């Protein structure tokens, strides 16, 4: 089993920045994929960014140039640095680790961007 614990989100003004973290514990193997998703009220959960254990990353078009996903493999922790946040990015943000084909999700953390 894998357990994921996300940092607390928060309230930030439009144009502001926030950094989320997600710490994994349990049967984490060296090869895994970590990602961040978000879900706004009444909408589906969408992928925001993905990073492999080797450090390769991909981003949703909406966040390219503003968000940065990174990871510390020694700490089994993945981060999401979010800059220039917009009100429409208010959502619950979830981290996900895929280990040996099995997905594990964090509990979700609320990010609210005020206009």
């Amino acid at each position: 089993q894998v357990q994921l614990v996300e940092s607390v989100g928060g309230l930030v003004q439009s144009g502001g920045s926030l950094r989320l973290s997600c710490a994994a514990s349990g049967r984490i193997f060296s090869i895994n994929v970590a990602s961040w998703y978000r879900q706004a009220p009444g909408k589906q959960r969408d992928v925001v960014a993905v990073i492999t254990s080797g450090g390769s990353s991909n981003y949703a078009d909406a966040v390219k140039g503003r968000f940065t996903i990174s990871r510390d493999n020694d700490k089994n922790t993945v981060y999401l640095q979010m800059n220039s946040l917009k009100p429409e990015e208010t959502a619950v943000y979830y981290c996900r680790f895929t280990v040996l084909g099995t997905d594990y999700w964090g509990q979700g953390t609320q990010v609210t961007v005020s206009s």
Side-chain angles (χ1 to χ4, degrees):
Q1 281 287 357
V2 173
Q3 296 79 39
L4 304 180
V5 177
E6 298 181 31
S7 59
V8 175
L11 173 65
V12 62
Q13 289 187 335
S14 179
S17 298
L18 199 61
R19 187 193 196 208
L20 303 178
S21 66
C22 174
S25 61
R27 293 179 60 82
I28 289 286
F29 293 88
S30 59
I31 299 176
N32 59 74
V33 177
S35 50
W36 286 97
Y37 285 70
R38 64 187 179 191
Q39 186 168 20
K43 296 189 176 182
Q44 68 181 18
R45 190 175 298 185
D46 293 325
V47 63
V48 174
V50 181
I51 188 166
T52 67
S53 50
S56 298
S57 58
N58 280 293
Y59 299 89
D61 288 343
V63 306
K64 283 182 180 177
R66 299 185 297 117
F67 288 17
T68 302
I69 189 170
S70 62
R71 62 189 295 163
D72 184 335
N73 289 335
D74 290 338
K75 297 180 179 179
N76 288 326
T77 300
V78 62
Y79 305 93
L80 184 67
Q81 176 67 44
M82 304 182 290
N83 299 327
S84 302
L85 281 160
K86 306 174 183 179
E88 56 265 37
E89 295 179 310
T90 293
V92 177
Y93 284 69
Y94 298 89
C95 64
R96 185 184 87 169
F97 269 69
T98 302
V99 183
L100 298 180
T102 300
D103 293 332
Y104 301 90
W105 290 89
Q107 79 277 14
T109 186
Q110 177 69 45
V111 173
T112 302
V113 185
S114 63
S115 57

